[in-house]
């Protein structure tokens, strides 16, 4: 199915968030996730099911003031 | 000083953005003596640059104060804060809700709203606010124990645009930890903030964009320390007219 990851379309075969992150190459990354504007905790990722058109934000530490 | 129950020695907080290189950032952090550095959250790239940055940050040994920079609504800021808490494993959040894209002025209505939600969820909120007393009161009512009034617009380096307002805040909130955040350009600005009785100063651009960031970090640390010592030593009152400092009594007469 097609989902939007960090504003870009991606095709994923995984149906849950945890597997999708692995598929997208974020398995070993220090990232936090939000699905359709709502924070999804690391512990909930395996339970959260994805649907076509979902918007996923994958954020990481960045320089800031 | 104590912030949310944590004792910190250095009264200088440092941002991590805009340095010429990670090595220069690390050097500046070290020479500033800071114990608290601010960081942000952005979309992770395929090359894992954010993850690499995080590993560098952990080497500094500093406490991390994540921010919600760039958020323009309470809801965005709340979601970002929740993500930051998980990523950095800290309840601290430097809460920014930006209301105006030119001045980066805080949207104080959204700020209070987000502060209330986050405090209710156990966050320890450091709100980036204006120097408005009423907003300060609302933030304290919302659960904040720290206030971070601006000195001048973010990144402007203008120094304290309204020292009288900061002085009024200091007088109005005597027991509240207050950190001047944004607008500091030079060491004298930092010293002035501390002389007003502010508890600490948070700055980024003034160090990152200096010709010698590590040198400026050191200068800022000294200024903060000098300003604080000056405040603690109870400065004299200003006078309108000259008053001779050398005794007049015992002057010779030559005519």
């Amino acid at each position: 199915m097609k989902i939007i990851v960090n504003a870009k379309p991606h095709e994923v075969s995984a149906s849950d968030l945890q597997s999708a992150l692995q598929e997208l190459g974020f398995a070993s990354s220090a990232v936090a996730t939000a699905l359709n504007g709502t924070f999804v905790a690391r512990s909930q990722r395996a339970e959260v099911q994805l649907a076509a058109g979902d918007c996923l934000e994958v954020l990481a530490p960045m320089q800031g003031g | 000083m104590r912030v949310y129950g944590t004792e910190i020695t250095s009264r200088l907080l440092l941002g991590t953005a805009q340095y010429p290189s990670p090595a220069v950032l690390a050097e500046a952090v070290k020479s500033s003596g800071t114990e608290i550095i601010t960081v942000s959250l952005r979309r992770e790239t395929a090359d894992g640059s954010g993850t690499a940055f995080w590993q560098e940050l952990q080497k500094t040994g500093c406490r991390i104060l994540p921010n919600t920079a760039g958020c323009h609504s309470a809801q965005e800021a709340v979601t970002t804060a929740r993500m930051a808490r998980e990523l950095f494993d800290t309840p601290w959040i430097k809460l920014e809700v930006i209301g105006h894209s030119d001045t980066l002025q805080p949207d104080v209505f959204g700020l209070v709203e987000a502060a209330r939600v986050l405090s209710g969820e156990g966050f320890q909120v450091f709100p980036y606010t204006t120097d408005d007393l009423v907003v300060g009161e609302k933030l304290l009512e919302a659960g904040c124990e720290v206030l971070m009034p601006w000195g001048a617009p973010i990144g402007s380096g203008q120094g304290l645009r309204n020292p009288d307002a900061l002085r009024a805040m200091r007088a109005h909130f005597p027991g509240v930890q207050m950190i001047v955040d944004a607008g500091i350009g030079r060491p004298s600005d930092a010293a002035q903030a501390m002389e007003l009785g502010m508890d600490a100063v948070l700055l980024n651009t003034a160090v990152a964009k200096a010709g010698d960031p590590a040198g400026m970090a050191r200068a800022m640390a000294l200024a903060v320390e000098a300003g604080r010592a000056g405040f603690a030593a109870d400065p004299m009152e200003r006078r309108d007219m000259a008053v001779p400092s050398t005794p007049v009594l015992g002057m010779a007469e030559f005519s």
Side-chain angles (χ1 to χ4, degrees), chain A residues 21-47:
Chain A
L21 286 173
Q22 282 177 356
E23 197 180 326
L24 291 162
F26 294 118
S28 60
S29 307
V31 292
T33 52
L35 190 63
N36 300 323
T38 303
F39 168 58
V40 180
R42 201 174 284 133
S43 59
Q44 298 169 341
R45 286 177 193 163
E47 297 153 29

Side-chain angles (χ1 to χ4, degrees), chain B residues 35-236:
Chain B
E35 293 159 53
I36 301 174
I37 52 177
T38 57
V39 298
S40 193
L41 284 176
R42 288 292 181 267
R43 286 169 172 164
E44 178 62 310
T45 51
D47 62 0
S49 61
T51 305
F53 174 62
W54 176 222
Q55 286 162 353
E56 288 298 315
L57 284 182
Q58 288 169 308
K59 289 183 197 162
T60 65
C62 293
R63 286 180 183 278
I64 304 291
L65 176 58
N67 70 27
T68 63
C71 291
H72 280 73
S73 72
Q75 195 193 340
E76 271 177 21
V78 166
T79 300
T80 304
R82 289 170 180 156
M83 296 173 87
R85 177 158 68 176
E86 181 181 79
L87 202 44
F88 298 107
D89 194 22
T90 175
W92 285 8
I93 190 75
K94 178 186 158 183
L95 185 60
E96 293 184 31
V97 182
I98 300 301
H100 193 279
S101 50
D102 287 339
T103 61
L104 300 181
Q105 182 168 342
D107 167 4
V108 295
F109 305 96
L111 182 69
V112 171
E113 185 188 336
R116 188 172 291 116
V117 171
L118 293 171
S119 297
E121 294 181 13
F123 281 88
Q124 296 173 337
V125 178
F126 295 64
Y128 166 61
T129 183
T130 63
D131 47 33
D132 189 290
L133 292 179
V134 181
V135 174
E137 280 178 352
K138 301 283 183 197
L139 288 166
L140 297 178
E141 283 168 20
C144 299
E145 292 180 18
V146 173
L147 294 175
M148 298 213 298
W150 63 351
I154 295 172
S156 70
Q158 293 176 4
L160 308 184
R161 286 229 297 213
N162 194 349
D164 290 334
L166 293 174
R167 193 177 290 114
M169 271 189 104
R170 179 68 290 171
H172 197 69
F173 303 115
V176 176
Q177 298 296 334
M178 290 210 292
I179 303 171
V180 168
D181 177 15
I184 301 291
R186 288 155 194 269
S188 51
D189 304 330
Q192 187 190 11
M194 297 307 293
E195 283 176 23
L196 288 174
M198 295 294 138
D199 295 284
V201 166
L202 196 169
L203 54 88
N204 187 157
T205 313
V207 165
K209 290 296 184 190
D212 172 7
M216 187 57 80
R218 173 86 182 125
M220 288 294 185
L222 291 169
V224 165
E225 202 176 323
R228 179 65 189 181
F231 170 73
D234 190 13
M236 65 170 282

